[in-house]
Amino acid sequence: MSTAEHEQGAVRETPDRYGAFPRLTPEQLETLGAHGERRRTAEGEVLYREGRPMREFLAILSGTVEIIHDQGGPDERTVAVHGPGRFLGELGLLEGQAAFDTAVMRQAGEILAVPVEWQRTLVGRDPVLGDLILRAYLGRRYLLIGLGAGFRILGSCYSPDTLRLREFAARNRLPHRWVDLEKDKEAEALLRRFAIRPEETPVVLWKGDRVLRNPSNAELARLIGLPAPAPALSSDSGRCDVLVVGAGPAGLAASVYGASDGLTTVTVDAVATGGQAATSSRIENYLGFPSGISGGELVERAVLQAHKFGARLMVPAQVSGLTPQDDEYAVTFTDGSRARAGAVVLASGVRYRRLEVPGIDRLEGVSVYYAATVHEAGLCRADPVAVVGGGNSAGQAALFLAHHASQVHLLVRGGDLNADMSRYLVDQVEQHPRIEVLLHTEVREVGGQEKLESLTVQDNASGERRELRATALFVFIGARPHTEWLSGVLALDEKGFVLTGADARAVADAHRWASPGRDPLLLETTLPGVFAAGDVRSGSVKRVASATGEGAMAIRLVHEHRERRGHQVATGSEGHQPVAGGSVSSR
């Protein structure tokens, strides 16, 4: 069937202008049909409903389907109309989330329904079909975000809890819309409609009738259907072979390789999957993607792989303690739950450092940001913005924001853009007509009361000051590790990064290493069986590719640790060695 725009009865199909609404070939429908069932549908039939989990992948064989946001509510609108050959759903279908819209048959016909578990398997096995579906789902998710679909966050721009909820939603790439209590005309009507007092905000509004008053990140996650903590990890009896702390590139790589090797693998993150990499608009030097790939797409592909091999991903779940216990480790979470792990991979990454300028704290989250995603870019609205930093993250952010802002001022403290930025990025930044590079430049003052209006910057070579008009400031000035909870547990360097390998051996407790009878392995910390990978590790190369490699390497070293430990237990208790390389599930 032609992919051209055509009529379906009285409803016109939405054209596929952005690659988000492709059409399946007869061969692909046949492949899917082998694992699904055909169903006749009636006009007006609801295939799935906003706010409820989607359990099936649906392809249209005949008839027309209308996708509606806020059906029956004051904000009801048509998102898209699909005809034969197209498929329904978006990214949340693969990740077990609730639907962000409703699908209604506008013209009776027939659909193909495939259980989502089979769809995940097929996406992993068939690279052509998998790429088609995943790209469409990613495109649809970004379209939903751009439309302001999903839930609404109603709160003041000056409220820390409002900023917390907005960051959580943005980092997890959840469709939502922020209604500013201070400025949005809609806010007063919503307060009256739901009988909400201003002091009760922020609130989350879902499906037009459900209100969550100042929910925790965990409560918001459960509302949307993000993976809940596994029951086995809710008590002291919960155990896994490998617990991965952090779901950035290193953590996701460890998840994929651990689960694919047959280890029971659980990965936890306090905020979202993807880490800092997920905030990158375009990664162009990652092996295998010559045209580049967005951080969000890379992360979603990795999450899909991890699910495919059986890894458990839990967000949000914040680790607060790590204690050696009978040659294994007891891991404590901030909600009081505990787990046991045979090995631990620390991949908690880093967070960007704050820019220390008087008065800037009141603007953080309002017009000062430490990430440049679709969410933040949508707030620029063709205004001038500034980016602080001279590394790859700053360069990628500047190029991305140049598609949204009228001008981007890139403020670099040093005198050479090549010093910390990859050459391919330098060339693109210097050639972009909307990017102005200001070397030897530092921010001294911020102007504006309720939001950023201007910056006072200084040339640190000449001392000259000037004022720049900017309505948003994006800061990428280095990072610090997420290791506060590890202080006193294992050895850190002077900046808080985790010591591994030879560095760990130099400061390790000889008594603790007497039992394993060996020195720390390459990525192993001062605790046997605890490894560090990616940006959190002292001496690591701060690149996505190296973090991914270290995550995979950490699992190989976990196997070596398990083999040596198994050898000691076997020879000590029964006088024989186990088969090397075994990775029997401990559940």
Side-chain angles (χ1 to χ4, degrees), residues 33-69:
H35 305 284
E37 64 171 342
R38 300 167 73 106
R39 297 178 190 162
R40 297 297 303 176
T41 57
E43 182 177 341
E45 181 178 343
V46 176
L47 302 179
Y48 59 81
R49 195 175 296 278
E50 181 178 348
R52 297 180 184 176
M54 298 174 60
R55 307 296 186 191
E56 297 175 317
F57 171 87
L58 302 176
I60 305 170
L61 300 178
S62 63
T64 306
V65 178
E66 182 180 8
I67 307 301
I68 305 171
H69 172 64

Side-chain angles (χ1 to χ4, degrees), residues 241-256:
D241 293 331
V242 184
L243 182 75
V244 182
V245 182
L252 289 173
S255 304
V256 169

Side-chain angles (χ1 to χ4, degrees), residues 249-250 253 283 285-287 298 541-552:
I283 303 171
N285 58 351
Y286 193 78
L287 186 66
L298 182 65
V541 178
K542 304 300 187 283
R543 291 288 187 271
V544 174
S546 59
T548 302
E550 288 188 11

Side-chain angles (χ1 to χ4, degrees), residues 174-259:
L174 299 175
H176 70 285
R177 180 160 59 90
W178 172 43
V179 181
D180 189 349
L181 190 63
E182 309 294 335
K183 304 174 186 177
D184 202 310
K185 296 178 181 178
E186 182 187 2
E188 185 62 34
L190 288 171
L191 290 174
R192 289 196 303 268
R193 177 183 172 191
F194 294 102
I196 302 168
R197 297 191 303 273
E199 59 270 23
E200 292 180 304
T201 60
V203 298
V204 171
L205 308 176
W206 176 238
K207 289 172 54 183
D209 58 1
R210 188 168 180 182
V211 179
L212 272 69
R213 287 169 166 79
N214 195 15
S216 67
N217 287 356
E219 289 171 330
L220 178 55
R222 303 307 163 247
L223 175 73
I224 304 304
L226 290 177
L233 297 182
S234 61
S235 66
D236 288 345
S237 62
R239 186 191 183 282
C240 57
D241 293 331
V242 184
L243 182 75
V244 182
V245 182
L252 289 173
S255 304
V256 169
Y257 281 88

Side-chain angles (χ1 to χ4, degrees), residues 301-352:
R301 288 173 179 269
V303 168
L304 179 62
Q305 277 183 298
H307 283 314
K308 173 182 128 179
F309 290 117
R312 301 294 298 270
L313 272 62
M314 296 160 44
V315 177
Q318 185 170 357
V319 177
S320 59
L322 178 68
T323 307
Q325 194 173 91
D326 301 329
D327 291 329
E328 293 187 337
Y329 290 92
V331 181
T332 305
F333 297 86
T334 54
D335 65 358
S337 61
R338 293 166 63 87
R340 284 175 64 90
V344 176
V345 176
L346 303 173
S348 51
V350 295
R351 62 169 63 93
Y352 285 111

